[in-house]
Amino acid sequence: MGLELYMDLLSAPCRAVYIFAKKNDIPFEFQFVDLLKGHHHSKEYIEINPLRKLPSLRDGKFVLSESVAILFYLCRKYSAPSHWYPPDLHMRARVDEFMAWQHTAIQLPMNKILWIKLLIPMITGEEVPAEKMERAMEEVKKNLQQFEEKFLQDKMFITGDHISLADLVALVEMMQPMGGNHNVFLSSKLAEWRMRVELAIGSSLFWEAHDRLVNLPNWDSSTLDPMIKKRMSEFLQKYK
Amino acid sequence: MGLELYLDLMSQPCRAVYIFAKKNDIPFQLRTIELLKGQHYTDDFAQVNPLRKVPALKDGDFNLAESVAILLYLSRKYKAPDHWYPQDLQARARVDEYLSWQHTALRNCCTRAMWQKMMFPKYLGHSVPPEMLAATLAELDRCLQMLEDKFLRDQAYLTGSCISVADLVAITELMHPVSAGCKIFESRPKLEAWRQRVEAAVGEKLFQEAHAVVLKAKDMPPLMDPTLKKNLMLSLQYLLH
């Protein structure tokens, strides 16, 4: 058995790994773990990753979680072109810096928007208080400003002239609110950078990776297993 | 001007950077930024790190934020011994995996536990509802279990048989709730054995030196300055839910 990647493309970190592997012609078996059916809590998956999160990688006996670790591993093992994770000390540090910051500054807040705008109302039938939405939006606005001013500045990409893992991770995460029809790319600088990254990846691959996300509003949540629904509702308490 | 590290040893990630630099004899100028005095909000410091957080590094014209990035930068630039961030593909992946996971797992609950149990009530005179503290300590307990079950397992260190930057990041994190009187090692012999190993590998003197400030936090008199108090409460709201 070759390389296996356990993913659901609804998850931004999974999209980053998927796009990277495809773009670099890394052969892998796509093991679909359906988040909407709660399969990340299945006995089979818990054996792969007891943390019950996606993505996971299995390479022979070696199992790895955390998308950032997976991206670095794939980059090194398959000798991806150096612009993805530049060897230059300073440029590499810039990628590391963004990869560290994004967990709490980009990934979490962007996901929160999707939950508040779409998933909570859809699953629980209740709307989230407007002031919670406003606060979440404020945080996203502030962090995107920091992204533009500190990470992007006047460059084409985060490290300079070429796309790197940092741009890939940044973009897939900023796409997350699109699942709730919410567009965060409001400034021309951000919109232009978004287009640049999409083109560097290849539009076809980019939209293929985002297909499941953009169709999320069409998901019939009444098909949700009642046990999963209950668990999700409990998890969602903290967003309300 | 040589390497400058902007640190407050009250902060867990700052302690990890401090220990790493000292342990590897990396020459640097320590620039102390006192978080409790709001010194990270000055315009001068924003020049160093516009994200207004510590730790921050300044190496000539090069400024760098984020402790994980700083640790990796230092290990590469100063060619630290391999075990800190191993070349081996799978060994390195294990370290990357821990460094990634900890941001939203251990980091979160250790900061909350320390602030909710000690700093808010004693330093800021703001008592935290007992149910909130109980939930936070339960979350911490779950994280510690994951640390033992998924990362440490039967290994000597978190990612294998040698100490790495992952262990530094973890131990400095765990000392936060310890400083607030949480007895996290007492009921966990495996974790306690690991703690002793890490402390011995770092060197007891350096370990104590890095933790002197946070371990004295419980003896700090309550903050009286109303402006500072108000500002701190505002900026630390996020630790209260």
Side-chain angles (χ1 to χ4, degrees):
Chain A
M1 171 112 297
L3 180 71
E4 295 168 274
L5 295 174
Y6 292 77
M7 306 181 285
D8 181 334
L9 298 181
L10 279 183
S11 133
C14 289
R15 294 195 294 274
V17 169
Y18 178 81
I19 289 172
F20 184 77
K22 284 269 174 174
K23 182 72 183 168
N24 288 283
D25 295 306
I26 295 170
F28 68 92
E29 217 184 289
F30 189 139
Q31 300 286 13
F32 179 44
V33 181
D34 195 336
L35 286 170
L36 296 179
K37 296 206 168 102
H39 287 175
H40 49 310
H41 294 294
S42 69
K43 212 157 47 87
E44 295 82 10
Y45 188 65
I46 292 172
E47 259 173 57
I48 310 268
N49 182 2
L51 298 174
R52 309 171 186 221
K53 284 161 59 180
L54 298 174
S56 290
L57 167 153
R58 184 154 65 172
D59 197 358
K61 290 213 189 83
F62 182 65
V63 177
L64 186 65
S65 64
E66 293 296 323
S67 62
V68 172
I70 292 172
L71 287 167
F72 288 158
Y73 177 85
L74 292 177
C75 214
R76 293 178 81 207
K77 181 170 177 182
Y78 296 90
S79 305
S82 67
H83 64 81
W84 286 108
Y85 193 43
D88 171 78
L89 185 66
H90 289 184
M91 283 168 76
R92 178 161 289 199
R94 286 281 162 251
V95 177
D96 290 336
E97 190 185 43
F98 177 79
M99 297 301 232
W101 181 72
Q102 57 83 20
H103 288 281
T104 52
I106 304 288
Q107 191 184 351
L108 271 178
M110 291 293 169
N111 231 351
K112 209 183 239 182
I113 304 282
L114 181 65
W115 282 103
I116 292 177
K117 268 216 115 182
L118 184 86
L119 291 169
I120 292 174
M122 214 189 222
I123 293 171
T124 66
E126 297 169 40
E127 291 293 322
V128 176
E131 74 100 51
K132 285 241 170 185
M133 182 53 159
E134 265 153 43
R135 247 190 307 150
M137 294 294 203
E138 273 308 306
E139 198 188 348
V140 162
K141 187 160 165 240
K142 171 173 151 257
N143 294 354
L144 284 179
Q145 201 170 347
Q146 283 183 330
F147 175 74
E148 283 188 48
E149 287 169 10
K150 182 201 153 41
F151 290 96
L152 194 52
Q153 294 167 15
D154 296 314
K155 297 169 277 159
M156 301 248 285
F157 298 97
I158 291 168
T159 56
D161 296 334
H162 301 283
I163 190 175
S164 73
L165 290 175
D167 303 277
L168 175 59
V169 167
L171 181 54
V172 295
E173 286 174 0
M174 293 177 193
M175 287 295 290
Q176 198 70 352
M178 290 293 208
N181 289 317
H182 183 84
N183 174 21
V184 305
F185 305 98
L186 300 175
S187 79
S188 55
K189 185 189 258 193
L190 210 59
E192 281 161 23
W193 164 82
R194 192 205 76 70
M195 200 61 208
R196 241 178 265 132
V197 179
E198 178 188 322
L199 292 175
I201 287 167
S203 290
S204 172
L205 172 57
F206 180 80
W207 289 107
E208 178 193 316
H210 285 87
D211 188 63
R212 189 160 149 79
L213 177 73
V214 301
N215 283 310
L216 190 55
N218 303 329
W219 171 52
D220 181 4
S221 63
S222 69
T223 63
L224 199 54
D225 179 292
M227 252 285 277
I228 310 288
K229 182 171 177 170
K230 181 167 170 287
R231 192 190 264 127
M232 276 189 185
S233 298
E234 284 160 9
F235 162 76
L236 293 176
Q237 278 312 305
K238 65 177 174 183
Y239 285 107
K240 289 171 77 215
Chain B
M1 176 111 292
L3 179 71
E4 294 169 88
L5 295 175
Y6 291 74
L7 309 173
D8 182 343
L9 295 180
M10 270 293 278
S11 134
Q12 312 92 299
C14 287
R15 296 196 287 270
V17 170
Y18 181 83
I19 290 173
F20 185 79
K22 285 268 173 172
K23 182 71 184 167
N24 287 285
D25 296 306
I26 294 169
F28 68 92
Q29 279 247 29
L30 174 64
R31 301 265 181 243
T32 301
I33 298 286
E34 287 194 66
L35 295 171
L36 293 179
K37 296 202 172 114
Q39 289 176 356
H40 50 313
Y41 291 125
T42 64
D43 288 339
D44 277 345
F45 183 63
Q47 295 295 315
V48 177
N49 182 11
L51 300 172
R52 300 178 189 267
K53 282 159 59 177
V54 286
L57 168 154
K58 193 167 161 63
D59 197 359
D61 284 330
F62 181 67
N63 291 9
L64 187 65
E66 291 296 329
S67 62
V68 170
I70 292 171
L71 287 166
L72 299 189
Y73 175 83
L74 292 177
S75 83
R76 284 177 192 124
K77 180 172 177 182
Y78 296 91
K79 303 195 178 2
D82 181 76
H83 64 82
W84 287 113
Y85 191 54
Q87 278 291 343
D88 175 78
L89 183 67
Q90 291 188 4
R92 177 166 290 193
R94 286 273 162 258
V95 179
D96 288 333
E97 187 185 45
Y98 182 77
L99 294 179
S100 176
W101 175 79
Q102 57 87 22
H103 285 284
T104 50
L106 206 59
R107 179 88 229 270
N108 201 20
C109 48
C110 285
T111 308
R112 266 168 217 278
M114 192 259 205
W115 274 85
Q116 289 179 10
K117 185 160 199 283
M118 179 171 76
M119 296 299 283
F120 278 122
K122 289 189 88 185
Y123 188 64
L124 294 178
H126 175 91
S127 59
V128 170
E131 326 82 67
M132 183 185 285
L133 179 60
T136 297
L137 294 177
E139 179 65 33
L140 176 60
D141 203 57
R142 271 192 295 275
C143 265
L144 292 175
Q145 199 59 50
M146 280 194 268
L147 189 66
E148 282 197 41
D149 294 343
K150 181 186 159 42
F151 294 98
L152 189 55
R153 304 198 312 272
D154 340 313
Q155 300 171 135
Y157 296 94
L158 286 182
T159 54
S161 52
C162 294
I163 192 172
S164 74
V165 292
D167 300 279
L168 284 190
V169 169
I171 197 85
T172 51
E173 205 58 71
L174 293 183
M175 290 303 288
H176 234 50
V178 165
S179 75
C182 294
K183 306 244 174 277
I184 58 178
F185 293 110
E186 272 74 347
S187 53
R188 293 175 180 276
K190 196 194 260 194
L191 214 58
E192 168 63 19
W194 165 78
R195 185 193 68 75
Q196 288 179 17
R197 245 174 260 130
V198 174
E199 201 175 316
V202 162
E204 199 190 315
K205 184 161 170 281
L206 173 57
F207 190 84
Q208 295 304 331
E209 184 186 310
H211 288 93
V213 170
V214 75
L215 289 174
K216 285 209 279 276
K218 67 185 191 315
D219 301 321
M220 287 192 319
L223 180 62
M224 299 310 276
D225 181 328
T227 315
L228 254 181
K229 199 168 171 177
K230 181 163 154 278
N231 289 341
L232 270 176
M233 279 303 299
L234 213 65
S235 63
L236 296 171
Q237 269 304 301
Y238 73 98
L239 290 174
L240 283 174
H241 49 245

